[in-house]
Amino acid sequence: MRSQTLWALTAAALLTCSACTGPNSGEPEMGAPTPPPITWGECLDDLAKSGLECATMDVPLNYQEPEGRTIEIAVSRLASSDPQKRRGVLLTNSGGPGGEGLSYPAVLKQLGLPQSVLDTYDVIGIDPRGVGRSTPVTCDLEAADGYLSNIPPYAAADADVAAAAKVAETVAQKCGQSASADVLPYITTANTARDLDQVRQALGEEKASYFGISYGTYLGSVYTSLFPESTDRVMLDSATGPGGWDQEFSRLFGEGFQDRFPDFAKYVAAHPELGLGSTLERVEKKYFELAEKLDRRPTDEGVTGVLFRQITFSNLYFDTKLELLASIWQSLDQGEPMGEEATGDAPTPAASDAPADNYLASQLHVICNDSNWPEDVAVYQRNVQADREGYPMFGAAGANITPCAYWPSEPVEEPVQINAEGPDNVLILQNLRDPATPLSGAQKLQEAFGDRARMVTADQGGHVSYLLLGDACADTAVTQFLVSGERPKQDKAC
């Protein structure tokens, strides 16, 4: 496969103005000028056709210097049409990090967001700092750099970790020398959460509700931890752990893969005509056979074992991708070309002027700035060996080294500690077999929140649940919470 095709394939494969709450103490930490009211106007491109209004606003680049340089944030609104039922605003985030959110209110409506929710809120979309139509960042990455995804490549041996380290170091250097390097240290989840509160204030709201998926659950957790008294209802779908996308979370990909894989194996076993195995055990055996066979393939002759594992992981996200994944396996097993449909859906900027690498670059900025990653290659080699044994299907990928080991900036502040201080206003929705944000991470997040959070689990596989997987029990619980604020009296299993 040509390099640009590989690039597309694996790219697919997550303040208050007068007083900002400190991450640990709960005391005022920093201030920012009160933002002027948002003036809504027409959106560009197809967003206007979706019933959205758009605007931009300025926020401090560095909240420790609130009167200093500002950057731009792009905001959209899908307004409630029922003033009698309107409660306030629902801030949203579509995950990533790096995902554009300006169109997300319209996407939610298209997915079937109930009218009762649309009546209750003005649904607010935001391109987070560094992303899309907000002031964007870049690492000046090109397909030729060989960096395809922020999910690390599978490492079969120490030498593979060392090889990945060379690529990671080059990528980090490019980020530090890019056209947007001057804003690099300040693209963080904590600052994005402060931006959310600036949006709340600019909208004239005393409180704001929040709905986020995947990485957006960490952003929402940080937001309500920094501003517990400014958040109304906080809905988190498919949760990371309490540290966001840190090293511990990255290592969970191996666990998530093996949690989810039986669902795919069951699908394959039910279609014996594929020739990939008639039982769960035989399908798993076929996975290792294909990976071993493709490990022997030169990198310039098509899909390698590393890429095969990445393809399998990324297509486990949604049940709708299982048929495609099975056809990819069948083609590789028979030595046939996979076809262009196998390249998946690469995240592309909505018609914005963001750099071509903006998704990967902005994701890297947040991941590497949010926490302090180990810098010793030997640490990653030990972790890879441990996770290769603990989670043999994909553990040696998530534990591998990333550009964060060579990041050109140290974290500008300590990570925000998710804690139990604040109102009991958090609901977590979690699939039992989520490949990207496994159940164990969501359980640790709930533990950090204490009595602030309830969890609804859905006995299904895949990443993201609400509106996508058709679980009436789970969807009803979420809708009821968003509309009435009522949570299950105790954790609920659907």
Side-chain angles (χ1 to χ4, degrees):
M1 297 173 67
R2 293 177 300 181
S3 60
Q4 58 263 41
T5 303
L6 301 185
W7 177 271
L9 173 61
T10 50
L14 324 341
L15 249 166
T16 51
C17 140
S18 55
C20 251
T21 310
N24 299 306
S25 66
E27 296 299 322
E29 179 195 58
M30 58 192 77
T34 302
I38 286 179
T39 301
W40 296 108
E42 186 175 348
C43 297
L44 300 175
D45 309 312
D46 292 335
L47 293 180
K49 300 176 184 177
S50 303
L52 296 178
E53 303 167 282
C54 290
T56 59
M57 60 179 290
D58 292 332
V59 297
L61 170 65
N62 177 7
Y63 279 90
Q64 295 179 18
E65 299 178 359
E67 299 288 350
R69 179 180 171 185
T70 62
I71 56 174
E72 195 169 70
I73 298 296
V75 186
S76 67
R77 176 177 71 170
L78 183 63
S80 167
S81 59
D82 192 332
Q84 299 301 317
K85 296 180 179 178
R86 182 188 181 280
R87 178 180 179 85
V89 297
L90 181 68
L91 306 176
T92 64
N93 182 271
S94 62
E100 295 188 7
L102 209 60
S103 64
Y104 196 47
V107 170
L108 287 171
K109 183 177 181 180
Q110 186 178 20
L111 288 173
L113 189 66
Q115 188 61 46
S116 57
V117 179
L118 294 171
D119 289 342
T120 303
Y121 301 102
D122 293 346
V123 184
I124 306 299
I126 304 168
D127 278 358
R129 60 170 52 206
V131 175
R133 288 192 176 88
S134 296
T135 301
V137 295
T138 179
C139 289
D140 295 329
L141 297 177
E142 300 174 352
D145 292 316
Y147 189 74
L148 307 174
S149 172
N150 288 321
I151 296 174
Y154 185 91
D158 284 356
D160 297 322
V161 180
K166 293 180 180 179
V167 175
E169 185 173 15
T170 298
V171 169
Q173 289 174 348
K174 294 193 73 170
C175 293
Q177 298 167 3
S178 76
S180 59
D182 56 335
V183 305
L184 180 147
Y186 308 106
I187 308 300
T188 68
T189 297
N191 281 335
T192 302
R194 294 172 180 126
D195 295 342
L196 291 181
D197 210 60
Q198 288 279 284
V199 172
R200 175 193 66 79
Q201 293 180 71
L203 293 173
E205 299 289 336
E206 181 179 350
K207 294 185 177 183
S209 292
Y210 178 89
F211 172 76
I213 63 173
S214 193
Y215 158 79
T217 64
Y218 179 57
L219 174 59
S221 298
V222 170
Y223 178 44
T224 195
S225 295
L226 288 176
F227 306 101
E229 302 307 322
S230 297
T231 49
D232 190 8
R233 299 162 183 170
V234 180
M235 176 59 223
L236 310 175
D237 183 351
S238 303
T240 70
W245 193 331
D246 56 7
Q247 187 194 25
E248 180 180 352
F249 174 76
S250 185
R251 294 181 69 180
L252 286 180
F253 292 140
E255 177 183 329
F257 188 110
Q258 296 204 193
D259 286 347
R260 171 63 163 158
F261 187 81
D263 292 331
F264 173 64
K266 184 177 180 180
Y267 172 86
V268 170
H271 294 81
E273 69 277 6
L274 292 170
L276 299 172
S278 57
T279 66
L280 272 60
E281 293 76 15
R282 290 180 179 176
V283 176
E284 183 174 323
K285 182 179 179 182
K286 176 62 70 173
Y287 172 81
F288 288 109
E289 288 177 354
L290 283 171
E292 183 179 352
K293 180 178 76 171
L294 295 169
D295 279 338
R296 297 192 295 268
R297 173 181 281 182
T299 57
D300 59 351
E301 292 185 9
V303 174
T304 62
V306 170
L307 190 53
F308 165 70
R309 294 176 178 91
Q310 295 277 87
I311 292 169
T312 300
F313 178 74
S314 64
N315 282 289
L316 291 176
Y317 276 41
F318 307 108
D319 284 350
T320 55
K321 293 290 187 180
L322 299 186
E323 181 179 2
L324 171 63
L325 180 57
S327 70
I328 294 171
W329 274 38
Q330 187 180 42
S331 297
L332 293 172
D333 188 42
Q334 296 174 358
E336 299 174 352
M338 292 194 315
E340 289 299 316
E341 71 277 5
T343 59
D345 302 317
T348 55
S352 69
D353 294 328
D357 72 336
N358 182 239
Y359 180 84
L360 280 176
S362 58
Q363 189 171 81
L364 263 181
H365 280 58
V366 172
I367 294 170
C368 299
N369 285 331
D370 273 0
S371 61
N372 206 354
W373 290 67
E375 298 176 5
D376 187 350
V377 175
V379 171
Y380 295 93
Q381 290 172 328
R382 290 194 296 269
N383 291 343
V384 163
Q385 182 177 352
D387 289 5
R388 189 189 307 117
E389 296 172 359
Y391 301 102
M393 303 189 86
F394 201 64
N400 202 355
I401 196 166
T402 76
C404 297
Y406 302 97
W407 200 241
S409 172
E410 294 296 319
V412 295
E413 61 181 304
E414 291 295 317
V416 174
Q417 297 300 308
I418 310 304
N419 58 67
E421 298 178 9
D424 298 345
N425 62 346
V426 179
L427 183 65
I428 301 170
L429 174 62
Q430 187 69 31
N431 293 331
L432 293 183
R433 299 179 300 282
D434 188 322
T437 54
L439 175 63
S440 61
Q443 290 170 332
K444 289 181 180 179
L445 177 64
Q446 183 185 25
E447 182 180 354
F449 270 126
D451 290 338
R452 291 199 67 189
R454 293 280 187 276
M455 185 185 295
V456 175
T457 54
D459 186 6
Q460 56 195 4
H463 186 50
V464 183
S465 180
Y466 186 54
L467 306 178
L468 284 177
L469 298 183
D471 188 307
C473 168
D475 286 357
T476 298
V478 172
T479 299
Q480 180 173 318
F481 173 65
L482 290 175
V483 173
S484 70
E486 182 179 347
R487 303 182 308 173
K489 294 186 176 7
Q490 56 189 10
D491 291 350
K492 182 180 181 66
C494 289

